[in-house]
Amino acid sequence: MEKLNNSIDRSWIDKWNQPFIISGPCSAESELQILETANRLNPSHVQVFRAGIWKPRTKPNTFEGVGQIGLEWLHKVKKNTGLMVATEIANAEHVKLAISFEIDVLWIGARSTASPFTIQEIADALEGENNKIILVKNPIHPDIELWIGALERLSDKGVRKLGVIHRGFYTYKNSKYRNQPNWNLLLNFRSLLPRIPIICDPSHICGNKEGILDITKKAYHFQCEGLMIESHCDPDHAWSDAQQQITPENLLEMLEELTCIKKCDQKSKRDLDSFRILIDELDENIITLLAERMNISKKLGVLKKYSDIAILQPSRWEDLLKKSINFGKSLGISEELLEGIFKMLHKESIKIQNKN
Ligand code: PEP
Ligand code: MN
């Protein structure tokens, strides 16, 4: 870990005023769409223009990217605007093609990071390519070791201009996010590998336009050094991720708001706010779990009525209370709090079951 941390070359990000901004459409669709979006992005705010050429879609028979021709359009953006350009690569062939079209930044998608074989293939293809910036998105599931393992595979092949992208994690639970952010995991990542630049991708966390500003502010509180935000010249008609893309002009407004926040910021307030964000996220998770629990109580009530079983089963309740108190105490929670919470939960559950 120490070796990886020390090998990191941060020059690509340190030379810019933060945050480092990567923006552009989810997918390249046509030369016109690419050039128009790039021209409308303000180069004094944006450092890298992104577009997906090969798209890892969840379902087959959907748009899976324009392929190689999109690299020509990206190359044109680079020549016309002076912006660096970025695309997602997922195998050795993609790496070879992206290098031949002088793509500056290559990112590895969340599905690829989850596969050590894929990462190894990409790392092997990158051997000796020490000028490219390689950004590794978090794996789909919150496995910090797998994420770090991907960085180690790349670093072992001499890749030094590394960064990571926090794009949130798949969750089976109901959630207001498309991919659940995990700020606590990010704090752990930072303490293990303090030199690796962290970029936040609010677009894939939110899955909608409305939440992007909020996640952008949170990313700032957690000291992310950059942002990757999807923008499109005509977001409502985008061929992929239409719900979450914003116009280049909306992006500019958002970045201006962020600059205002930064101007009136104090370090102590920033630290306080980041703890509050962690607490708020946990409270949301607790409430989501409570709703799930109440839903099961409702089903249980129906079953008990149907099977002619009494709603209140004292021995089951005593067992549950004892088990929960013991477990909670092993995690350092006071017995008084556990008892109070579980008595209230049980009372509510009985009420719900009796409603049937
Ligand atoms: C993307 O950036 O367009 C993308 C497919 O991202 P992810 O790998 O985070 O799903
Ligand atoms: Mn996308």
Side-chain angles (χ1 to χ4, degrees):
M1 202 89 78
E2 183 91 10
K3 189 172 141 232
L4 168 63
N5 193 52
N6 291 335
S7 76
I8 299 302
D9 175 355
R10 293 181 46 96
S11 58
W12 61 274
I13 195 157
D14 284 345
K15 69 176 177 203
W16 300 96
N17 271 337
Q18 283 169 12
F20 182 85
I21 305 293
I22 304 172
S23 189
C26 178
S27 304
E29 298 161 9
S30 69
E31 182 168 355
L32 203 67
Q33 168 245 11
I34 286 293
L35 295 181
E36 185 181 339
T37 309
N39 287 335
R40 281 166 53 187
L41 285 167
N42 188 329
S44 61
H45 289 78
V46 174
Q47 282 75 48
V48 181
F49 180 77
R50 66 150 275 160
I53 303 296
W54 300 286
K55 298 301 299 176
R57 304 303 297 278
T58 303
K59 300 269 187 186
N61 307 317
T62 47
F63 171 62
E64 291 190 320
V66 293
Q68 186 172 334
I69 192 165
L71 295 174
E72 291 176 27
W73 306 337
L74 281 179
H75 194 71
K76 224 174 229 182
V77 168
K78 180 171 165 153
K79 288 279 163 290
N80 291 357
T81 63
L83 289 170
M84 288 190 276
V85 288
T87 200
E88 173 172 349
I89 42 107
N91 61 36
E93 182 65 12
H94 295 167
V95 172
K96 204 174 87 198
L97 284 167
I99 290 171
S100 71
F101 281 88
E102 298 175 340
I103 305 300
D104 308 278
V105 180
L106 310 180
W107 84 80
I108 298 174
R111 293 157 194 81
S112 302
T113 310
S115 162
F117 288 132
T118 300
I119 294 292
Q120 194 58 55
E121 178 183 330
I122 293 172
D124 291 343
L126 282 168
E127 186 157 22
E129 242 343 289
N130 33 28
N131 241 339
K132 296 285 171 221
I133 299 166
I134 311 295
L135 304 178
V136 183
K137 287 201 171 194
N138 63 253
I140 295 275
H141 52 295
D143 182 342
I144 199 167
E145 288 300 321
L146 193 61
W147 200 3
I148 294 173
L151 296 164
E152 285 172 341
R153 287 177 197 275
L154 291 158
S155 168
D156 285 349
K157 293 289 170 180
V159 179
R160 296 184 59 225
K161 293 186 177 170
L162 277 170
V164 294
I165 304 178
H166 173 45
R167 53 77 82 193
F169 299 89
Y170 172 79
T171 167
Y172 185 63
K173 284 184 308 199
N174 283 336
S175 167
K176 65 176 179 179
Y177 300 110
R178 180 177 177 194
N179 293 292
Q180 187 82 29
N182 191 332
W183 304 110
N184 214 7
L185 184 145
L186 218 56
L187 288 179
N188 283 340
F189 185 97
R190 172 78 80 208
S191 68
L192 291 168
L193 293 166
R195 286 182 49 75
I196 299 210
I198 301 180
I199 288 169
C200 182
D201 173 351
S203 307
H204 290 91
I205 288 178
C206 296
N208 60 46
K209 307 179 208 307
E210 296 71 29
I212 294 178
L213 181 60
D214 178 52
I215 294 294
T216 297
K217 289 180 190 165
K218 288 179 178 162
Y220 165 67
H221 285 300
F222 285 97
Q223 298 173 43
C224 292
E225 287 124 310
L227 294 164
M228 182 190 251
I229 299 181
E230 286 184 340
S231 61
H232 191 291
C233 55
D234 183 10
D236 294 340
H237 297 103
W239 296 2
S240 60
D241 287 352
Q243 320 83 298
Q244 71 192 33
Q245 300 199 62
I246 58 174
T247 62
E249 294 72 24
N250 286 152
L251 174 76
L252 187 61
E253 282 164 21
M254 233 177 246
L255 296 178
E256 274 166 356
E257 187 158 336
L258 202 61
T259 311
C260 289
I261 296 172
K262 272 175 81 175
K263 261 192 206 140
C264 26
D265 192 30
Q266 293 159 320
K267 167 98 178 63
S268 57
K269 168 99 175 32
R270 186 173 174 179
D271 290 345
L272 191 73
D273 283 350
S274 55
F275 280 118
R276 286 184 171 149
I277 292 168
L278 289 177
I279 295 273
D280 288 356
E281 295 276 355
L282 286 172
D283 285 350
E284 270 178 26
N285 287 342
I286 292 172
I287 293 166
T288 309
L289 288 174
L290 278 179
E292 270 178 38
R293 197 185 193 283
M294 298 306 162
N295 221 355
I296 293 176
S297 292
K298 217 183 282 172
K299 290 183 186 159
L300 193 61
V302 175
L303 189 68
K304 282 181 181 167
K305 190 175 170 192
Y306 179 75
S307 318
D308 212 14
I309 299 173
I311 296 288
L312 180 62
Q313 302 279 324
S315 63
R316 158 76 180 147
W317 159 236
E318 279 157 24
D319 277 357
L320 186 140
L321 185 64
K322 206 170 4 155
K323 210 164 49 180
S324 304
I325 288 180
N326 285 341
F327 178 55
K329 270 167 70 180
S330 75
L331 299 176
I333 306 173
S334 84
E335 183 164 346
E336 195 189 353
L337 176 65
L338 291 160
E339 198 173 325
I341 289 175
F342 274 89
K343 282 192 169 155
M344 275 163 72
L345 273 179
H346 187 243
K347 200 169 146 199
E348 183 66 15
S349 176
I350 296 290
K351 203 162 100 190
I352 289 173
Q353 293 181 53
N354 271 321
K355 265 195 193 144
N356 291 296

